[in-house]
Amino acid sequence: MPASPQALVGDSVENVGYVIPTPVIQHFLVDYQRTGGFTGFPALGIRWQRLESDALKRAFGMTPEQKGGTHASRASWIAWEREGKVK
């Protein structure tokens, strides 16, 4: 009886590969050499969302015909200030 089930559709997809960009690997290796661990990537401290839905466009005073648009907020920065992580 074969022991290698294969699936190509749905939630049971197997043998999925991922590509990690070279700059990400280089950042990890340099960070590990410098600190003995991985400290991660810097964060800008904002959240953003594309204004694609008509409801979001209406909420920001846009018409449904207007194209593009991005809403950014500094919610995470404010939270960091409250926690004393930034000044």
Side-chain angles (χ1 to χ4, degrees), residues 2 12 15 18 21-22 24 29 31 40 47 49 51 53 60 64 67-68 71-72 87:
S12 59
N15 296 324
Y18 297 94
T22 303
V24 173
L29 293 173
D31 197 17
R47 295 179 185 167
Q49 181 177 14
L51 300 177
S53 77
F60 290 101
K67 302 290 180 196
H71 170 70
K87 296 181 182 194

Side-chain angles (χ1 to χ4, degrees), residues 46-49 70-74:
I46 64 169
R47 295 179 185 167
W48 66 275
Q49 181 177 14
T70 302
H71 170 70
S73 67
R74 23 178 251 134

Side-chain angles (χ1 to χ4, degrees), residues 4-77:
S4 59
Q6 295 180 352
L8 299 175
V9 295
D11 294 332
S12 59
V13 175
E14 296 177 10
N15 296 324
V16 176
Y18 297 94
V19 176
I20 301 172
T22 303
V24 173
I25 295 171
Q26 289 173 335
H27 177 80
F28 171 81
L29 293 173
V30 169
D31 197 17
Y32 191 83
Q33 285 177 335
R34 286 184 186 163
T35 66
F38 182 57
T39 57
F41 287 90
L44 185 56
I46 64 169
R47 295 179 185 167
W48 66 275
Q49 181 177 14
R50 291 182 190 209
L51 300 177
E52 295 175 343
S53 77
D54 290 341
L56 274 173
K57 289 179 182 182
R58 275 194 309 274
F60 290 101
M62 297 173 66
T63 66
E65 294 77 29
Q66 286 180 293
K67 302 290 180 196
T70 302
H71 170 70
S73 67
R74 23 178 251 134
S76 56
W77 186 266

